[in-house]
Amino acid sequence: MKIESVDFFYLRMPEVLDIGDGSQDATLVRVRAGGLEGWGECEAAPLPTIAAYVCPMSHSACKPVSYGVEGMPLNEPEDIRKIGQKVHAHSFDLLQADHTLSGIDIALWDLLGKKLGEPVYRLLGYKRAYPKTPYASQLFGDTPELTYEKAVQSRASGYRAVKFGWGPIGRDSAAVDAAHFRAAREGLGADAYLMIDLGTVWGEDVAVARERLAALKDVNAYWLEEPFTNMALGPYSKLAKSEPRVRLAAGEGCNNYVQAAAMLDYAELGFIQIDTGRIGGITPAKRVADDAAAKGITYVNHTFTSHLALSASLQPYAGVKEDVICEYPVEPKQLALDITTNKILPDENGQIVVPDAPGLGVDVQLEALKDYVVDAEIRIGGSLIYQTPAI
């Protein structure tokens, strides 16, 4: 079969707040071929992502992403890899290309899995999917007291692992941060995994990060995530070697395989976090998972939005038994919840497993999304090159 159409949908909550929550809008991708359709999601601002698919050619290495996708064959996994290679060859200078390709690649795997009657993880070469321990991914409270309350609630909800991130952390004194860390630990109890996410707030400042290491060690933080900007290889390496030792996690900002490979080689990470909605899709994420296993670095998914994105993020390491931690969004906006009819829910042991069903194993519920669709057009010289497609 050949790719017949690729549709992009710009979805948005009625009100978007100035907070670190990427579930307030969404870029959904629908690919159709052979009477079937697959769905993907880009972790990227919708309008520039859509524009990268339809924009006019600037030169031979700056063509729209559509040039490498439309009309291409889709019958086996190698076809998806060839599509990615073609996009990279012809959209090399289009910096949004990998973000746009991410949702397309995910949708292609979903579609191919449906055609072949196999879950995506089996198409990737895994024989089975292993259970993962989800960590409740959420924002810090505005005060240590609110952080404590959120931790207590997460514990009561059965989560054995919790990550707090963003919010006020890293923007005040080391003492204020330490109070939040203690509040999180006290609310969770001593035996739960506690992860701390700084959201790149310190840029490349190793000294300010070192001021927090003792407090992180005191609360037995499982990892410190993204203290620095993506690809700050030197600062990551220096902090990783600082005392007291706290293992570092990063990689969600990598928007192609080469960046992730550099982080694996030079950042001294304990954990590599990959977002299939950013790095170019499931295809490059699987390469990173393979590399991480070879280097003894733990692979972790990154996702903060829908269960469509969650399923896609789990596929690249679903069959890796040793890597058991996974990110699990617990505070998504209603838009993210409404994207799929079925959800990937923790079982009686508090673990989740990727669906054992064709494709990604989750179904997009179109009727529920109509109220979120943003009606948009892109015109060039009076010609209409994009219009919101019909749901």
Side-chain angles (χ1 to χ4, degrees), residues 135-136 138 154-155 159-164 188 193-195:
Y135 65 82
Q138 56 197 288
S154 294
R155 182 71 175 189
Y159 290 102
R160 306 201 309 261
V162 177
K163 184 181 81 176
F164 285 99
L188 289 176
Y193 292 99
L194 170 61
M195 297 81 138

Side-chain angles (χ1 to χ4, degrees), residues 84-344:
Q85 290 169 356
K86 187 175 180 181
V87 169
H88 288 140
H90 293 278
S91 303
F92 178 81
D93 277 349
L94 186 61
L95 298 188
Q96 191 70 18
D98 279 296
H99 265 157
T100 303
L101 177 61
S102 296
I104 297 170
D105 180 277
I106 292 167
L108 292 174
W109 283 105
D110 186 38
L111 197 160
L112 185 62
K114 291 172 180 174
K115 171 183 169 60
L116 300 178
E118 294 281 4
V120 170
Y121 70 83
R122 287 207 190 105
L123 299 182
L124 293 173
Y126 296 124
K127 293 182 179 179
R128 62 164 293 185
Y130 290 96
K132 307 294 183 186
T133 298
Y135 65 82
S137 183
Q138 56 197 288
L139 303 178
F140 274 103
D142 289 337
T143 66
E145 292 76 18
L146 290 175
T147 293
Y148 173 81
E149 291 176 9
K150 295 178 78 169
V152 169
Q153 180 59 49
S154 294
R155 182 71 175 189
S157 298
Y159 290 102
R160 306 201 309 261
V162 177
K163 184 181 81 176
F164 285 99
W166 297 59
I169 297 301
R171 303 178 186 280
D172 206 317
S173 68
V176 170
D177 287 353
H180 276 277
F181 302 158
R182 288 193 300 271
R185 173 53 74 195
E186 290 169 5
L188 289 176
D191 59 339
Y193 292 99
L194 170 61
M195 297 81 138
I196 304 298
D197 181 359
L198 268 296
T200 73
V201 71
W202 293 324
E204 300 176 33
D205 193 338
V206 178
V208 71
R210 284 175 174 155
E211 293 176 0
R212 274 74 171 178
L213 289 181
L216 290 164
K217 195 71 174 180
D218 286 345
V219 300
N220 192 26
Y222 190 58
W223 73 51
L224 173 62
E225 178 178 337
E226 289 211 311
F228 309 123
T229 189
N230 184 54
M231 296 300 293
L233 303 178
Y236 271 105
S237 179
K238 290 176 183 177
L239 186 63
K241 298 171 184 175
S242 300
E243 296 290 345
R245 295 290 180 93
V246 175
R247 288 189 293 177
L248 303 182
E252 69 179 72
C254 294
N255 54 36
N256 58 52
Y257 165 78
V258 174
Q259 288 186 1
M263 293 291 280
L264 286 173
D265 287 339
Y266 303 113
E268 304 286 343
L269 300 179
F271 305 87
I272 184 77
Q273 301 166 296
I274 297 300
D275 196 316
T276 54
R278 292 181 182 173
I279 198 171
I282 292 171
T283 306
K286 176 59 164 59
R287 289 185 68 190
V288 178
D290 291 344
D291 289 354
K295 296 175 184 295
I297 297 172
T298 301
Y299 184 100
V300 185
N301 68 319
H302 175 269
T303 186
F304 203 76
T305 57
S306 73
H307 285 250
L308 175 68
L310 175 61
S311 178
S313 75
L314 292 170
Q315 304 292 337
Y317 78 125
V320 181
K321 186 177 182 179
E322 297 77 14
D323 295 353
V324 299
I325 293 291
C326 73
E327 183 165 30
Y328 190 82
V330 294
E331 295 181 325
K333 292 294 185 286
Q334 193 62 42
L335 162 60
L337 293 173
D338 286 343
I339 286 176
T340 60
T341 56
N342 48 332
K343 309 291 188 288
I344 303 173

Side-chain angles (χ1 to χ4, degrees), residues 369-384:
L369 299 180
K370 288 184 177 179
D371 291 341
Y372 299 109
V373 173
V374 176
D375 189 19
E377 292 183 353
I378 300 176
R379 292 180 178 272
I380 302 292
S383 298
L384 183 67

